[in-house]
């Protein structure tokens, strides 16, 4: 009998365990990506909030820190996306996969595949999973409603089997996972592994400031809510003073924050007003919040940056999965993955009657 933790995910991505560290903006930085890969998972660099020069430098930094394969996350509507794609392909010897939500078309997906890079989008609906497979994607990450950041309304326990029945590519389960019991459960459903964001955010190698980590650790499930006012699409967040203000705001307040956030992003990225508007229009076509929502979506990373980079909780946002409500410790990536492996093997052995 083969190793139950050797799956299509470990085979395709070259990692020891069927666990993915997801690409959280401002959090999935080189130290965390390298640490998760060295510990046995497959880590994604969060390049969707990076300029092309930043992405190139940080891909190089990951390579200096680990010889293990890793992935890069981006979206096609960010300023400089084309240059980031070229950098990813240039590092195809070690960049084994790309992930995206607002993703490339069939032609771009074919370019990645020709370079030997696995295309692994994250979806929150069956129809989107089918569409991504039709476009040529090799693997799908399915995020149920428990997941952090942008999320859907269908729980993982319902969405995962729906997608498994709908597509014929390996499926990775995300949304609500944080331990070996969850990994065993996902494998029992038929998934190729699990993807975790919040659990990796709350590790010692995570760059999130201690002040922000303390808020995450203190939060119970009742302190974690879904808001539609950040950018017009449902996002799961820890309640903070800023989120409360956003929830109370009207249309004018949303426009003011969208403009302010857009200008902040212009200063950070060096993008022109035209590039930012183009990105916003592209994002608007993929959401239900219209142009103001898209502008907020383009600006939201700067609000998250205030909390998870600067530690400014009063003026920042803390994206999170619901699983944060039961996390109370900050292990290293190695400690976390060793525990997940041991728990998963024990549960799978018990199910097999061993």
């Amino acid at each position: 009998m083969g190793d139950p933790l050797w799956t299509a995910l470990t085979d395709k991505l070259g990692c020891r365990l069927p666990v993915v560290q997801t690409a959280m903006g401002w959090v999935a930085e080189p130290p965390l990506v390298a640490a998760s890969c060295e510990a046995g998972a497959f880590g994604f660099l969060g390049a969707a909030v990076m300029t092309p020069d930043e992405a190139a430098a940080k891909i190089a930094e990951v390579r200096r820190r680990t010889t293990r394969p890793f992935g890069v996350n981006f979206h096609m509507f960010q300023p400089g996306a084309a240059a980031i794609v070229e950098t990813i392909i240039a590092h195809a010897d070690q960049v084994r996969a790309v992930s995206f939500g607002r993703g490339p078309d069939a032609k771009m997906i074919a370019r990645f595949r020709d370079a030997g890079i696995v295309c692994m989008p994250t979806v929150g609906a069956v129809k989107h999973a089918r569409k991504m497979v039709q476009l040529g994607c090799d693997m799908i990450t399915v995020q149920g409603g428990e997941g952090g950041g942008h999320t859907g309304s269908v729980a993982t326990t319902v969405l995962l089997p729906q997608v498994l029945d709908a597509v014929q590519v390996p499926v990775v389960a995300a949304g609500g996972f944080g331990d070996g019991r969850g990994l065993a459960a996902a494998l029992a459903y038929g998934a190729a592994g699990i993807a975790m964001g919040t659990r990796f955010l709350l590790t010692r190698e995570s760059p999130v400031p201690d002040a922000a980590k303390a808020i995450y650790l203190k939060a119970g499930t009742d302190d974690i809510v879904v808001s539609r006012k950040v950018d017009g699409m449902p996002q799961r967040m820890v309640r903070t003073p800023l989120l409360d203000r956003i929830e109370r705001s009207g249309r004018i307040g949303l426009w003011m924050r969208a403009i302010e956030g857009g200008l902040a992003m212009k200063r950070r990225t060096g993008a022109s007003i035209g590039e930012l508007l183009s990105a916003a229009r592209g994002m608007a076509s993929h959401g239900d919040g219209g142009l103001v929502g898209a502008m907020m979506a383009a600006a939201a990373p700067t609000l998250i940056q205030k909390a998870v980079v600067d530690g400014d909780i009063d003026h920042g946002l803390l994206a999170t999965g619901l699983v944060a409500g039961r996390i109370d410790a900050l292990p290293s990536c190695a400690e976390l993955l060793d525990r997940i492996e041991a728990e998963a093997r024990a549960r799978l052995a018990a199910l097999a009657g061993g």
Side-chain angles (χ1 to χ4, degrees), residues 163-185:
V163 174
L164 284 165
D165 290 343
V167 300
Q168 300 302 312
V169 299
V171 174
V172 179
F177 296 99
D179 57 22
R181 293 175 300 177
L183 174 55

Side-chain angles (χ1 to χ4, degrees), residues 36-348:
S36 64
C37 290
E38 286 290 307
F42 186 85
F44 275 98
L45 180 71
V49 297
M50 297 177 188
T51 66
D53 287 346
E54 288 171 339
K58 291 183 180 183
I59 288 171
E61 184 180 347
V62 175
R63 295 185 62 129
R64 287 194 296 271
R65 289 172 176 267
T66 182
T67 59
R68 304 297 303 166
F70 64 97
V72 178
N73 171 266
F74 74 104
H75 69 72
M76 285 304 296
F77 303 121
Q78 70 188 94
I84 291 173
V85 168
E86 296 305 321
T87 299
I88 291 170
I89 291 174
H91 290 277
D93 61 316
Q94 194 172 348
V95 176
R96 187 68 58 85
V98 289
S99 67
F100 43 81
R102 301 176 178 93
D105 57 18
K107 183 178 178 180
M108 181 62 69
I109 289 170
R111 282 198 68 201
F112 283 126
R113 294 186 67 179
D114 289 345
I117 296 172
V118 174
C119 288
M120 191 174 165
T122 297
V123 302
V126 176
K127 65 180 181 180
H128 296 148
R130 288 195 180 105
K131 178 66 173 178
M132 288 295 102
V133 173
Q134 289 171 1
L135 290 175
C137 291
D138 311 273
M139 192 180 300
I140 301 290
T141 299
V142 175
Q143 179 175 298
E146 301 94 327
H150 288 114
T151 192
S153 58
V154 181
T156 303
T157 51
V158 175
L159 183 61
L160 176 59
Q162 284 183 312
V163 174
L164 284 165
D165 290 343
V167 300
Q168 300 302 312
V169 299
V171 174
V172 179
F177 296 99
D179 57 22
R181 293 175 300 177
L183 174 55
L187 295 177
Y189 269 103
I194 59 173
M196 305 188 304
T198 303
R199 179 61 276 193
F200 278 106
L201 182 152
L202 291 170
T203 58
R204 291 204 291 276
E205 291 91 348
S206 163
V208 174
D210 290 344
K213 285 180 178 177
I215 300 297
Y216 278 110
L217 292 174
K218 183 180 178 181
T221 52
D222 290 342
D223 302 309
I224 298 170
V225 298
V226 174
S227 171
R228 280 185 170 271
K229 284 201 170 183
V230 173
D231 62 6
M233 295 182 287
Q235 288 206 63
R236 190 176 295 282
M237 304 267 179
V238 178
R239 286 191 61 182
T240 62
L242 175 59
L243 185 60
D244 286 342
R245 291 196 297 275
I246 289 174
E247 285 295 294
R248 293 193 301 266
S249 63
R251 186 77 175 173
I252 293 176
L254 291 176
W255 268 107
M256 290 178 65
R257 271 193 311 280
I259 293 169
E260 180 183 355
L263 291 174
M265 176 164 278
K266 181 181 185 301
R267 290 191 296 270
R268 184 182 64 80
T269 64
S272 68
I273 293 293
E275 288 173 323
L276 289 175
L277 286 173
S278 177
R281 289 191 188 99
M283 295 169 76
S285 69
H286 282 67
D288 57 6
L291 184 58
V292 65
M295 288 178 68
M296 284 296 290
T302 65
L303 300 178
I304 294 172
Q305 180 189 26
K306 285 183 181 294
V308 303
V309 177
D310 302 336
D312 184 355
I313 308 303
D314 288 341
H315 301 95
L317 295 175
L318 294 169
T320 187
L322 193 57
V323 72
R326 66 181 184 89
I327 294 175
D328 59 4
L330 294 172
S332 68
C333 286
E335 291 167 347
L336 173 63
L337 287 161
D338 284 350
R339 185 166 68 241
I340 286 175
E341 179 179 8
E343 290 174 351
R345 290 191 184 281
R347 292 313 309 151
L348 292 168

